[in-house]
Amino acid sequence: MTQEVSKKPMDAIMALCKRRGFIYQASEIYGGINGFWDYGPMGAQLKKNLRDAWWQDMILRPCWGRNGPNGRPVRNVGLETCVIQHPKVWEASGHVGGFNDPMVDDKETKGRYRYDHVMVFVPENGDPGDKPVFAYVGDQPSEAKQKKKAEKTFGAVKSVALSTIPQPWTRVIGPEAEKPGTLTEPRMFNLMFDTIPGAIRDEANKAYLRPETAQGVFVQFKNVVDTTRVKIPFGIGNTGRSFRNEVTPRNFTFRSREFEQAELEFFCHPSESLEWYKFWRDFRMEWWKEIGLAGENLILREHEKDELSHYSLGTSDVEYRFPFTSPGFGELEGIAHRGDYDLTQHQKVSGAKLDFFDTDRGEILPNGGKKGERYLPHCIEPAAGLDRGALALICEGYTRDDSRASPEFLKLHPRVAPIKAAVFPLVAKDGMPEVAEKLHAELNDKFWKLGGIEMDEKQSIGKRYARMDEIGTPFCITIDGDTMSQQIVTIRDRDTAQQQKVSLDKVGAFLSEKLGV
RNA sequence: GCGGGUGUAGCUCAGUGGUAGAGCGUCAGCCUUCCAAGCUGAAUGUCGGGGGUUCAAAUCCCCUCGCCCGCUCCA
């Protein structure tokens, strides 16, 4: 049932993406490569428009000029950091330590442990017979708990490494588990791509392709503070490619191994961090609605306590109901309260001082100034996936209406539509092409920075409308008999196919209003 | 990672051992005063890839890659 509902629209969407130049498989003529996708002319512009919209609404004019919870305008600055960073960056962030080692999962408790950290209590003589043995992690609550249980079962016990027990571990009870046999075999999680900078190949120089853009911000936090007169609270935005060796690339571009992120790290005083977290969570949800995901397919989901990272005070996801996740949802953006975890880590690993001296805080001095306060800021991170965003815009916009002459169309918001408008002579004669060409040139001069303005005089008017519908062009402007006699054009709306008459010299103003410029 | 499905023109697909096809789209010309209309013509194929069987393979066999679905995974 779900298959029937979800599969067909996705197939049609993927066919349209290919047919009209939105998304191609990477290296297609060589058979494709798992987890990588390219954008065609339409897709490249769509994604660029989305990225620009993010940058405009987050960096150039944050939150549409709105005030933050402190009653002042929100201030953010931009940054662009390298895909390749010093390998220690990923040690500090926890990406190397956590995911390059073999891990065992507990299917019962969903716990995950480093294979080499898991120990097991077995009887002193080493032979448990047909009784279960008790796994634990040293210095964790599981150690005492499991020891007690083991002693109750066997009397005297000793401790051995999990690796000394032959697999499968059908009699091993996981550290937090109740039943035996729920630990999986150890698996290597090699989720970061690596590479070797330097002309001479030497494993010792191994570096990683970043799995997220965020760390570049933390690493440059001090430079930004020292050189740009920013004061807390403020944010640093960073967009760009990231790379993850996804276990299972799946669902079109949704889980790609190379993808683009748009992340903001917003730094604030610990006492205000919860307010800022809520502020960003709500704004980001509103933003996605504003650029076209206004329907019921978009939700904001607050993470449960047990989903949170150990350092996080709160995380929510903006999620979209894609055809392939339906009736469930897939993550578009995560808004995380990261506390001071990252700055603390980088401070520790690098040895650099990353705290902030806040001259707006502290007790008031006799001269009227403030004493200041030195602290490590807390960070709120709205981290969006641009490829997922673009895919969501396409899925949300994809509409099929068999009562129309052009049944398939993309209802893209004018701000993100790759082509903003098209000019057609109704017929290629009677002087119409010349007028159309003139209008096209005029509109192009005015709007080229926003996206394409097209001109098409080939074939029937119906086909031209249909083509524009499929790539989501919001407006088609037709030069017809009325234009020739009265200087009036016909503008057709993509979504309703309704037409309205507009004076030829007002077309620019009409588009300006509709495109919000 | 496991299991199922699938791969032939830009798209949708037919073609079960004997000359690679259709519809749509695309392009050109004609026609055309508002919705993939009509007429004429044209271009476009590593039949996913490699190997094998055969006089002959899109078709049979083996291997492999991609995509889709379900589990799994998801820092």
Side-chain angles (χ1 to χ4, degrees), chain A residues 205-220:
Chain A
N205 294 336
K206 187 162 89 173
Y208 299 98
L209 307 190
R210 67 180 170 201
E212 62 176 28
T213 54
Q215 296 304 323
V217 172
F218 299 122
V219 169
Q220 292 293 7

Side-chain angles (χ1 to χ4, degrees), chain A residues 65-83:
Chain A
R66 204 178 267 188
N67 285 345
N70 58 350
R72 299 213 197 119
V74 179
R75 179 158 185 210
N76 293 331
V77 294
L79 185 71
E80 187 170 318
T81 65
C82 284
V83 166

Side-chain angles (χ1 to χ4, degrees), chain A residues 348-370:
Chain A
K348 205 188 298 173
V349 176
S350 70
K353 278 190 76 173
L354 300 179
D355 54 8
F356 179 81
F357 186 69
D358 192 335
T359 53
D360 289 338
R361 291 183 179 271
E363 49 192 270
I364 295 176
L365 298 173
N367 68 3
K370 288 188 177 161

Side-chain angles (χ1 to χ4, degrees), chain A residues 243-262:
Chain A
F243 303 80
R244 297 181 192 183
N245 245 328
E246 297 291 353
V247 179
T248 317
R250 192 65 79 81
N251 291 330
F252 203 20
T253 60
F254 183 78
R255 181 162 289 140
S256 298
R257 288 179 164 152
E258 174 174 349
F259 58 101
E260 187 161 353
Q261 294 182 294

Side-chain angles (χ1 to χ4, degrees), chain A residues 139-156:
Chain A
D139 298 331
Q140 298 281 313
S142 59
E143 179 167 4
K145 193 190 74 185
Q146 295 289 74
K147 188 170 188 186
K148 197 180 262 180
K149 286 189 184 174
E151 283 170 346
K152 203 171 159 193
T153 309
F154 302 119

